[in-house]
Amino acid sequence: MLRVGLTGNVAAGKSAVAGSLAGWGATLIDADELVRAVQVPGSPVLDAIADAFGAAMVGPDGYLDRAALRTLVMRDDTARARLNDIVHPAVHERRAAAETDATARGDCIVVHDIPLLFEVLDPDDFDVIVLVDAPAAERRRRLVADRGLDPSDADRLIAAQLPAADKRDRSDHVIENDRSLADLRDRTWNVWLDLRRRGAAQAAGDRPPGVLVPDDGTPSATVDALVARARDAGMPVSRIRPDASAPTLEGPTVFLVSGPASDARRTADVWSRARPDAVVVWPCGDDDPARVARIDVRPWTAPDDTREPGPGYVALAAATPRGAMVSDLSALVSAAG
């Protein structure tokens, strides 16, 4: 799993970038959502906030008065540090649990959306750091004009974070947000292409297998997505005639069979007998759950010209030399190796 740290100073446009990455297939873990989750009425965190800063920080409905708390901590460095000491441990616990769930699902790319990543965490804990940045004057304008902050409060909020200039050299990608939303989306897309290559390559390891795909002329979004994922992982892909005999290749091999499930199954059986050391996968239904694997192809289902989110998980049947289940790309590579 590729762990991506996404950050950006206030009003830089990080949320728009996070939304695009999630739409294209990344698993998003949003620190702001985690903060809200640990501050619900009756939670230990909210009780601790009320004890530290007074009952006035909790509204009549039992929820945190975020505006009042924000005004307090923006103007008092000691109060802000105290709030961080209360909130951050609970958020870290929630973040770790969400990442554990993502690992169990076999998710390939997990993006941690963390506004204060450089301020409170170690960037080296992530595989990739993506910084969203915009000129300070433009960020101030957005805070005042779009969010309705008092200019002095906007200045304090900007000053409370490390300058973006100190973060740029420590980031793998810097996405500039100084033009239109369309430009921001284009720049984010280019970063996404690199993230999905890194994610696939990391899952595939140092010795990925070759992939053979029968070229029967039948359009298949599932096969195209898996082929794109294989290529991103550095796997050599060859298309061959569907009636061709199983070729002899050096090294581990995966046969990716397309077409209707019944025809694919017959072709897979032929190839499995011809190359018992290879892994054969084909689309299937849920009629044989013992042989069904679910491979997450979300990051590889969006055609470059539409950039629309794909269908999610795809059900595949797998025939492997050791009867191993193929639940994700790394399991596929392991089975073939």
Side-chain angles (χ1 to χ4, degrees):
M1 184 173 69
L2 188 75
R3 302 178 71 249
V4 180
L6 173 66
T7 191
N9 282 14
V10 62
K14 175 180 56 58
S15 295
V17 170
S20 291
L21 295 176
W24 293 328
T27 297
L28 182 65
I29 300 177
D30 187 332
D32 287 340
E33 290 186 2
L34 298 181
V35 168
R36 288 190 287 271
V38 302
Q39 293 176 343
V40 296
S43 66
V45 169
L46 185 58
D47 291 344
I49 290 174
D51 289 342
F53 304 109
M57 291 297 144
V58 180
D61 59 358
Y63 283 86
L64 177 68
D65 187 337
R66 300 185 188 281
L69 184 60
R70 181 176 64 246
T71 299
L72 172 65
V73 300
M74 277 196 304
R75 301 177 180 183
D76 187 334
D77 292 344
T78 301
R80 184 167 61 251
R82 190 174 183 185
L83 176 64
N84 289 340
D85 288 341
I86 294 171
V87 174
H88 287 169
V91 170
H92 177 74
E93 184 177 342
R94 291 280 184 120
R95 183 185 300 120
E99 187 170 277
T100 298
D101 291 342
T103 302
R105 290 192 302 267
D107 293 357
C108 189
I109 300 174
V110 174
V111 174
H112 291 270
D113 181 347
I114 306 174
L116 299 177
L117 189 152
F118 282 91
E119 287 82 356
V120 301
L121 296 176
D122 184 355
D124 290 338
D125 288 340
F126 299 89
D127 299 309
V128 183
I129 297 294
V130 178
L131 173 71
V132 186
D133 195 18
E138 172 60 17
R139 294 191 289 110
R140 184 181 188 274
R141 186 200 66 77
R142 293 170 185 170
L143 288 172
V144 175
D146 300 339
R147 303 190 189 181
L149 263 67
D150 182 270
S152 60
D153 285 340
D155 290 336
R156 292 188 184 95
L157 189 55
I158 290 173
Q161 295 180 311
L162 293 175
D166 296 344
K167 304 176 181 181
R168 294 173 70 95
D169 289 343
R170 301 173 65 191
S171 301
D172 299 282
H173 290 285
V174 177
I175 301 177
E176 306 285 0
N177 182 22
D178 54 356
R179 295 183 182 177
S180 68
L181 285 176
D183 288 325
L184 178 63
R185 188 169 170 85
D186 287 342
R187 292 167 177 175
T188 303
W189 177 255
N190 290 330
V191 171
W192 171 246
L193 294 179
D194 178 67
L195 294 180
R196 78 178 199 180
R197 283 191 292 267
R198 291 191 189 214
Q202 184 162 299
D206 297 331
R207 190 170 177 260
V211 178
L212 290 172
V213 185
D215 190 2
D216 59 4
T218 302
S220 172
T222 295
V223 172
D224 289 345
L226 289 169
V227 167
R229 184 167 191 168
R231 284 179 171 149
D232 277 341
M235 299 180 184
V237 177
S238 298
R239 292 186 178 269
I240 63 174
R241 288 171 41 214
D243 58 349
S245 59
T248 300
L249 297 178
E250 295 295 332
T253 305
V254 172
F255 296 113
L256 179 59
V257 183
S258 60
S262 58
D263 294 342
R265 177 62 179 269
R266 285 194 293 270
T267 304
D269 286 342
V270 172
W271 279 5
S272 295
R273 290 193 297 272
R275 281 291 303 274
D277 60 331
V279 174
V280 182
V281 296
W282 66 94
C284 69
D286 295 329
D287 56 333
D288 189 4
R291 298 176 64 84
V292 172
R294 299 181 67 81
I295 294 183
D296 182 1
V297 296
R298 288 175 299 172
W300 289 269
T301 52
D304 289 9
D305 57 343
T306 65
R307 306 182 190 177
E308 293 300 323
Y313 292 87
V314 58
L316 301 171
T320 70
R322 295 171 296 279
M325 292 301 294
V326 182
S327 57
D328 56 29
L329 184 62
S330 59
L332 179 64
V333 172
S334 177

